[in-house]
Amino acid sequence: MPLRVGITGNLGSGKSTVAALLRRRGYPVLDADALAREGRKALAGRICQAFPEACRGGVLDEKALARIVFSDQEKLRTLEGLLHPYVRRRLMEEMDRQTAPIVFLEIPLLFEVGWEKALDRVLVVAAPLEERLMRVQIRSGLSREEALSREARQLPQEEKLRRADYVLWNTGDLRRLEEGVEVLLRVLESSP
């Protein structure tokens, strides 16, 4: 069985950048967000039943759904109750197909949903709050308040750092981040 390493971090930390660096080096990286997008399509009928105001003519409007769930904690839990079992099942299926000695799983809410129990190691990608907020605003077009609201729904970065097996600091210097990934890979490749 391959070594299963979870990649997590708060909004705008650079998880996807680290995942891309690992893929470039030939490592399989499973993406929970991509599977959640797949799940929203596969479960669109059930999501539209739960959130009719997010659907037009039976078609799910992703932006409307995001506005609804990120402004109401109870509605967010309802959506997660639909999506998380789907994502968990698909991650397990994809993990079972892997033959590489190390498999990475990019899971933004890894600790929040208890995935650390299914993994061998956890890598937290971290960055200063202001830098993360700026990245999210540029990347996603969210306002500072929207980004802070989403940040508040995640486990604090400090707690993730405390629970991590490995930490990569992403301060915006790509070369330095690449060097950190290389060091991490040497450590993982030599672990039992």
Side-chain angles (χ1 to χ4, degrees):
M1 182 186 291
L3 184 69
R4 295 164 303 180
V5 181
I7 304 170
T8 195
N10 284 51
L11 196 65
S13 62
K15 299 175 294 294
S16 296
T17 302
V18 169
L21 292 171
L22 291 165
R23 280 187 191 99
R24 231 181 285 153
R25 285 161 178 76
Y27 290 88
V29 181
L30 308 179
D31 182 348
D33 277 352
L35 293 175
R37 285 189 294 278
E38 176 186 299
R40 285 192 298 275
K41 286 184 180 134
L43 302 170
R46 291 176 60 197
I47 294 170
C48 283
Q49 284 179 335
F51 302 97
E53 65 276 31
C55 297
R56 288 169 183 60
V59 177
L60 182 61
D61 179 336
E62 297 273 345
K63 289 184 179 180
L65 181 64
R67 278 192 304 275
I68 292 164
V69 299
F70 287 116
S71 65
D72 184 323
Q73 192 67 29
E74 190 58 39
K75 289 181 179 183
L76 180 61
R77 278 195 289 275
T78 299
L79 179 62
E80 289 173 345
L82 292 168
L83 283 177
H84 286 178
Y86 179 92
V87 172
R88 183 176 288 273
R89 180 179 56 78
R90 289 289 292 119
L91 278 172
M92 295 302 286
E93 289 170 359
E94 292 299 319
M95 253 194 314
D96 288 346
R97 290 190 183 119
Q98 300 303 316
T99 57
I102 303 172
V103 175
F104 293 91
L105 295 89
E106 183 184 356
I107 308 173
L109 298 177
L110 186 147
F111 291 119
E112 290 85 344
V113 298
W115 254 93
E116 70 274 18
K117 298 171 194 109
L119 302 170
D120 301 307
R121 307 276 194 300
V122 174
L123 163 67
V124 170
V125 182
L129 176 63
E130 288 305 318
E131 196 163 331
R132 290 188 286 114
L133 290 174
M134 185 179 64
R135 289 177 190 159
V136 170
Q137 289 172 277
I138 292 168
R139 175 190 74 204
S140 303
L142 297 176
S143 70
R144 179 180 174 79
E145 293 72 31
E146 289 169 320
L148 281 168
S149 172
R150 291 186 186 189
E151 170 77 16
R153 287 186 170 80
Q154 297 184 335
L155 199 62
Q157 179 171 269
E158 296 73 31
E159 179 62 17
K160 289 180 181 179
L161 294 173
R162 191 183 68 69
R163 294 184 186 187
D165 295 300
Y166 309 104
V167 174
L168 275 179
W169 279 94
N170 178 16
T171 57
D173 182 340
L174 186 58
R175 198 180 95 244
R176 208 170 197 176
L177 188 61
E178 288 174 328
E179 290 168 0
V181 166
E182 290 302 327
V183 170
L184 171 73
L185 289 172
R186 284 195 296 274
V187 169
L188 290 173
E189 288 166 353
S190 66
S191 24

